[in-house]
C-alpha cells in the first residue's frame, strides 16, 4: 500500500503544483493514516481539481475575501505598502532571466528592450513610490474662507477599496505591474488579470506575484473571456483597463452597472507631423525608434502615420530607409533587435491592411512577410487612400503610412478629422507652428521633436482623451488614480455666530450678504450697525 501511494504521487504530480500536492498528501495521510485510499478515487479527485473553472461564483468569493482583508485595515498602513513595493523591486531583480525568457516566448522581444522597457521601468516606478509615498500619503492642507471662520481644512487621500487591473499583451509585465504599483501604494487590495495573448508572461506573473506579494490582498487571475467576464460581473471600487476601445466599451458597460469608476488606457492613430526645417537625421532616428524599436510598432503610443509636404516626402523616405537599414540591416528578419507579431490573428489583421486594394501598390519600402515566424518587415507606404482600412483603424504593427500635403499646416485639419489620439508628435524648428500645434491638436499626450519619451516622465500624466481613453496614471497620478480625495474640515465650538441662524433679521441679512460677497468692510459695518 505504501508503494502504491508513492507511485500515485509520482504519476499524479502533473495535476498539482508542488504546494497543492503536499496539501493533498497531508490530507490523505491524516485522513487514512497508512490505510485505504484507492488510486482510482484520488485520480478522479485530481481530474476534478484540474477541471475547476474560475466562474462568477469563484469571482464573488475572491472579491469577498479581499474585501475582508481591506476591511481589516491591513493594506492602509504605510508599512504594508512599503513592504509590497520593496517586494516588487526584489521580484524584478531576482527574476530578470525568467522575465526576459517569457517576453521572448510571447513576442520574441529583444532582451535589452525587455530589460529597459519592462524590468527597469517597473523597478523605477516602484522606487519612485518608495521615495515619495510618505509625502503623498500626508493630508494636504488647504485654505478656508471667512464664512467658515474659525476653521481649518485638508484633503485626505484614502484607498478606494478592492480594485481590478486588466492589462495588455504588448508590454505584459510593465502594463500589468505599473498600475498594480499605484493601487498598492494607494492602499488598495488588487486583482490583476493579465492578457492571455501573452501566455508565458501571464503564467510567470501569476507565479511570481503569489511567491513575492501578500496573497491575502493581491491576486492574479489568469484566463481569457470567461474569466474576464466573471470578474466584470463583480462590484469593484475601480477598474483599470489597458487595451483597445472595443473591449474598453465592454469594461465601461460592466462598470456602469455598479457605478464603478474606470481608467481606460486605450490607443488610437498617433500622428507625426514632419516639417522640412529640421535636423532630418536626428528626427528620423527618433521616429524609427518610436515606431519599430518599441515592440515593432505594437505600442499604444507608437507613431501611426506621418504627415509631411509633397516636396519633402522623398528626402524623408530616403532618410527613413537609411536609418532602418542602419538599425536592422538589409534583411530585418535576421535582426535580433526587432520583435515579431504577437500571434496569427494579428499577423492576419496586418496582412489584410497591406493587401487591401489601392494600398498594396503604395509600399515604398519593406513589405516582406514571414508567416511561419510571424514577422513583418518595417514597411513604409506613401499616400494611401484616406478611406483605406490602414487609415481608419489603429495599425499596432510595423506599417507606417506617409500622407502628403501642400502646406504643413494642412496637417492640423487632417488630424482633427479623426478621433483624438493617445499621442501626437511634431518635428519643427518653427516656434509659431509649435505653439499652434500645442494649442490646436487635442491628444492624450504630445511631444515636440521626439516620440514616445513622454512615457518615461513620472511628472507628466499618461492617459488618453475621447476615444483614446479616460483617466491617467504614472507617478503621483497613479497614486491619485487609485485614491479617493476626501475633503475634511475641522472646527471648534467657539466662534458660533448667531447671524448664521434664523430668524434672519435685516441686520443679519446685511452681514451675511456682505460675507458672501467677500466684502469685509461691509461685514464690519453691518456688525457695528453702521449700515
Amino acid at each position: 500500500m505504501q508503494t502504491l501511494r508513492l507511485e500515485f504521487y509520482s504519476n499524479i504530480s502533473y495535476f498539482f503544483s508542488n504546494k497543492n500536492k503536499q496539501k493533498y498528501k497531508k490530507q490523505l495521510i491524516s485522513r487514512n493514516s497508512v490505510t485505504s485510499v484507492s488510486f482510482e478515487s484520488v485520480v478522479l479527485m485530481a481530474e476534478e481539481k484540474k477541471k475547476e473553472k474560475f466562474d462568477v461564483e469563484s469571482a464573488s468569493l475572491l472579491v469577498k475575501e479581499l474585501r475582508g482583508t481591506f476591511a481589516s485595515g491591513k493594506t492602509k498602513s504605510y508599512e504594508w505598502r512599503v513592504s509590497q513595493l520593496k517586494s516588487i523591486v526584489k521580484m524584478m531583480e531576482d527574476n530578470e532571466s525568467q522575465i526576459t525568457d517569457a517576453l521572448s516566448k510571447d513576442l520574441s522581444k529583444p532582451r535589452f528592450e525587455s530589460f529597459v522597457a519592462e524590468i527597469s521601468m517597473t523597478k523605477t516606478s516602484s522606487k519612485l513610490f518608495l521615495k515619495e509615498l510618505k509625502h503623498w500619503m500626508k493630508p494636504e492642507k488647504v485654505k478656508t474662507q471667512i464664512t467658515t471662520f474659525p476653521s481649518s481644512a485638508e484633503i485626505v487621500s484614502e484607498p478606494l477599496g478592492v480594485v481590478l487591473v486588466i492589462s495588455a499583451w504588448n508590454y505584459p509585465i510593465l502594463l500589468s505591474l505599473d498600475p498594480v504599483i499605484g493601487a498598492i501604494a494607494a492602499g488598495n487590495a488588487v486583482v490583476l488579470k493579465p492578457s492571455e495573448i501573452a501566455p508565458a508572461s501571464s503564467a510567470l506573473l501569476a507565479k511570481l506575484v503569489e511567491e513575492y506579494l501578500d496573497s491575502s490582498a493581491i491576486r492574479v487571475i489568469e484566463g481569457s473571456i470567461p474569466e474576464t467576464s466573471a470578474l466584470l460581473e463583480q462590484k469593484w471600487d475601480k477598474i483599470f483597463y489597458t487595451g483597445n476601445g472595443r473591449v474598453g466599451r465592454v469594461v465601461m458597460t460592466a462598470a456602469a452597472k455598479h457605478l464603478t469608476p474606470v481608467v481606460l488606457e486605450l490607443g488610437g492613430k498617433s500622428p507625426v507631423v514632419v516639417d522640412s526645417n529640421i535636423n532630418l537625421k536626428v528626427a528620423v532616428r527618433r521616429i524609427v525608434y518610436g515606431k519599430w524599436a518599441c515592440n515593432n510598432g505594437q505600442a499604444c503610443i507608437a507613431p501611426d502615420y506621418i504627415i509631411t509636404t509633397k516636396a519633402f516626402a522623398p528626402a524623408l523616405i530616403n532618410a527613413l530607409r537609411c536609418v532602418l537599414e542602419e538599425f536592422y540591416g538589409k534583411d530585418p528578419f535576421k535582426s535580433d533587435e526587432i520583435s515579431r507579431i504577437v500571434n496569427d490573428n494579428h499577423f492576419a489583421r496586418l496582412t489584410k491592411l497591406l493587401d487591401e486594394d489601392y494600398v498594396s501598390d503604395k509600399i515604398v519600402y519593406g513589405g516582406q512577410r514571414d508567416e511561419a515566424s510571424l514577422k513583418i518587415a518595417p514597411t513604409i507606404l506613401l499616400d494611401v487612400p484616406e478611406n483605406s482600412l490602414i487609415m481608419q483603424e489603429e495599425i499596432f504593427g510595423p506599417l507606417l503610412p506617409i500622407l502628403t500635403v501642400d502646406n504643413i499646416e494642412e496637417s492640423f485639419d487632417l488630424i482633427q478629422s479623426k478621433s483624438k489620439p493617445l499621442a501626437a508628435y511634431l518635428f519643427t524648428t518653427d516656434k509659431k507652428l509649435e505653439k499652434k500645434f500645442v494649442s490646436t491638436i487635442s491628444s492624450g499626450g504630445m511631444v515636440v521633436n521626439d516620440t514616445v519619451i513622454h512615457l518615461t516622465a513620472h511628472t507628466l500624466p499618461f492617459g488618453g482623451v475621447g476615444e483614446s481613453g479616460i483617466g491617467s496614471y504614472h507617478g503621483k497620478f497613479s497614486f491619485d488614480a487609485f485614491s479617493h480625495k476626501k475633503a475634511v474640515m475641522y472646527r471648534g465650538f467657539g466662534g458660533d455666530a448667531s447671524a448664521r441662524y434664523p430668524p434672519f433679521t435685516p441686520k443679519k441679512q446685511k452681514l451675511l450678504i456682505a460675507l458672501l460677497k467677500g466684502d469685509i468692510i461691509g461685514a464690519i459695518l453691518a456688525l457695528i450697525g453702521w449700515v
Side-chain angles (χ1 to χ4, degrees):
M1 190 65 188
Q2 184 67 32
T3 303
L4 178 61
R5 188 175 286 109
L6 290 173
E7 287 175 353
F8 158 69
Y9 288 127
S10 172
N11 293 333
I12 208 69
S13 60
Y14 69 92
F15 283 116
F16 299 95
S17 66
N18 286 332
K19 184 176 178 182
N20 286 335
K21 184 170 67 175
Q22 293 303 317
K23 180 182 76 172
Y24 276 89
K25 180 176 179 180
K26 288 177 182 177
Q27 287 177 351
L28 290 170
I29 291 174
S30 65
R31 204 178 290 161
N32 298 279
S33 186
V34 204
T35 57
S36 57
V37 178
S38 73
F39 179 83
E40 292 78 7
S41 66
V42 185
V43 169
L44 184 59
M45 288 168 56
E47 289 175 342
E48 288 175 353
K49 179 72 177 175
K50 185 182 178 184
K51 291 176 184 176
E52 281 183 11
K53 292 183 178 180
F54 185 85
D55 55 14
V56 172
E57 184 179 354
S58 306
S60 178
L61 290 172
L62 171 63
V63 174
K64 184 177 180 180
E65 180 184 338
L66 294 180
R67 288 208 181 280
T69 300
F70 181 75
S72 73
K74 181 181 188 178
T75 65
K76 295 182 181 181
S77 76
Y78 172 76
E79 291 74 18
W80 182 86
R81 305 185 201 192
V82 166
S83 71
Q84 300 309 299
L85 294 172
K86 286 181 177 178
S87 293
I88 291 175
V89 174
K90 181 172 173 53
M91 182 170 77
M92 293 290 103
E93 292 174 345
D94 290 351
N95 298 281
E96 279 189 18
S97 179
Q98 287 191 66
I99 292 168
T100 53
D101 286 347
L103 292 167
S104 179
K105 288 176 184 176
D106 288 331
L107 292 149
S108 292
K109 190 170 285 195
R111 299 188 80 85
F112 185 67
E113 183 186 347
S114 296
F115 175 78
V116 171
E118 306 247 25
I119 297 169
S120 179
M121 287 185 68
T122 301
K123 285 167 59 178
T124 298
S125 181
S126 297
K127 289 178 179 179
L128 173 69
F129 275 96
L130 286 168
K131 179 182 176 183
E132 301 288 352
L133 183 57
K134 186 170 285 187
H135 169 65
W136 290 344
M137 285 177 66
K138 287 181 179 177
E140 178 188 351
K141 299 294 182 184
V142 294
K143 294 179 179 179
T144 58
Q145 296 173 303
I146 192 171
T147 51
T148 62
F149 178 85
S151 65
S152 62
E154 62 187 12
I155 300 170
V156 175
S157 295
E158 64 179 16
L160 293 169
V162 181
V163 302
L164 173 64
V165 173
I166 305 174
S167 65
W169 55 262
N170 56 330
Y171 288 87
I173 303 299
L174 177 68
L175 296 182
S176 292
L177 293 179
D178 204 14
V180 168
I181 288 166
I184 290 170
N188 299 279
V190 192
V191 172
L192 167 64
K193 167 58 183 69
S195 174
E196 70 279 7
I197 297 176
S201 298
S202 176
L204 182 61
L205 279 167
K207 172 180 173 288
L208 295 181
V209 167
E210 182 179 16
E211 182 180 342
Y212 282 83
L213 301 182
D214 181 357
S215 60
S216 72
I218 306 162
R219 303 285 277 277
V220 175
I221 299 298
E222 290 192 272
S224 56
I225 293 174
E227 291 77 13
T228 305
S229 298
L231 289 169
L232 289 174
E233 283 290 319
Q234 310 310 309
K235 177 174 173 56
W236 303 91
D237 296 299
K238 191 150 202 175
I239 299 175
F240 189 109
Y241 168 74
T242 303
N244 62 59
R246 178 181 57 81
V247 178
R249 285 173 169 80
V250 173
V251 171
M252 198 168 182
T253 300
K257 295 177 184 177
H258 303 289
L259 292 180
T260 299
V262 297
V263 172
L264 302 179
E265 294 294 339
L266 307 177
K269 298 189 72 63
S270 298
V272 185
V273 177
V274 182
D275 201 357
S276 58
N277 57 4
I278 57 172
N279 183 323
L280 183 57
K281 183 177 180 180
V282 172
V284 166
R285 288 167 71 90
R286 291 174 178 178
I287 293 169
V288 170
Y289 178 85
K291 179 64 175 181
W292 290 285
C294 294
N295 205 27
N296 203 11
Q298 298 171 111
C300 57
I301 54 172
D304 193 272
Y305 64 100
I306 290 175
I307 308 174
T308 193
T309 60
K310 289 181 173 65
F312 192 63
L316 178 60
I317 292 168
N318 186 58
L320 285 166
R321 180 185 295 113
C322 291
V323 170
L324 282 167
E325 291 183 1
E326 176 191 344
F327 285 6
Y328 307 117
K330 291 187 180 295
D331 184 358
F333 291 163
K334 294 180 179 178
S335 174
D336 293 328
E337 303 292 338
I338 199 163
S339 303
R340 66 166 167 81
I341 307 307
V342 66
N343 61 21
D344 293 334
N345 290 338
H346 281 274
F347 186 91
R349 178 183 62 80
L350 290 165
T351 298
K352 182 180 179 182
L353 297 183
L354 275 180
D355 289 344
E356 189 183 10
D357 290 344
Y358 308 109
V359 171
S360 58
D361 61 345
K362 301 294 184 180
I363 296 172
V364 293
Y365 180 80
Q368 305 95 321
R369 308 163 216 173
D370 183 353
E371 188 172 1
S373 62
L374 294 178
K375 288 191 174 181
I376 298 176
T379 301
I380 302 169
L381 305 97
L382 181 63
D383 282 330
V384 297
E386 260 295 291
N387 62 353
S388 61
L389 287 175
I390 202 169
M391 286 308 300
Q392 296 302 311
E393 60 183 63
E394 184 180 9
I395 294 170
F396 222 73
L399 320 178
L400 184 62
I402 298 176
L403 306 182
T404 59
V405 291
D406 293 321
N407 185 298
I408 200 65
E409 291 196 5
E410 293 175 27
S411 62
F412 294 4
D413 291 336
L414 201 158
I415 295 169
Q416 289 177 308
S417 69
K418 302 181 182 301
S419 298
K420 295 177 181 180
L422 185 59
Y425 307 113
L426 170 68
F427 287 85
T428 188
T429 56
D430 184 337
K431 291 299 180 183
K432 288 184 178 178
L433 184 68
E434 177 183 307
K435 185 176 180 180
K436 184 175 181 180
F437 187 76
V438 172
S439 63
T440 303
I441 302 302
S442 179
S443 61
M446 187 172 285
V447 185
V448 175
N449 293 330
D450 210 330
T451 64
V452 306
I453 61 167
H454 62 301
L455 177 78
T456 64
H458 68 81
T459 52
L460 291 174
F462 181 80
V465 57
E467 290 283 321
S468 59
I470 298 170
S472 61
Y473 73 126
H474 285 185
K476 177 66 159 50
F477 303 99
S478 290
F479 181 83
D480 292 342
F482 290 101
S483 298
H484 166 59
K485 300 299 182 181
K486 182 166 62 179
V488 182
M489 181 174 283
Y490 301 94
R491 297 200 73 197
F493 289 99
D496 194 47
S498 62
R500 175 182 172 182
Y501 307 108
F504 294 108
T505 63
K507 182 177 180 179
K508 284 184 181 181
Q509 290 182 37
K510 290 176 182 178
L511 173 59
L512 291 172
I513 289 170
L515 288 172
L516 291 170
K517 288 182 176 180
D519 181 2
I520 304 301
I521 295 174
I524 294 171
L525 293 175
L527 277 171
I528 61 177
W530 284 15
V531 293

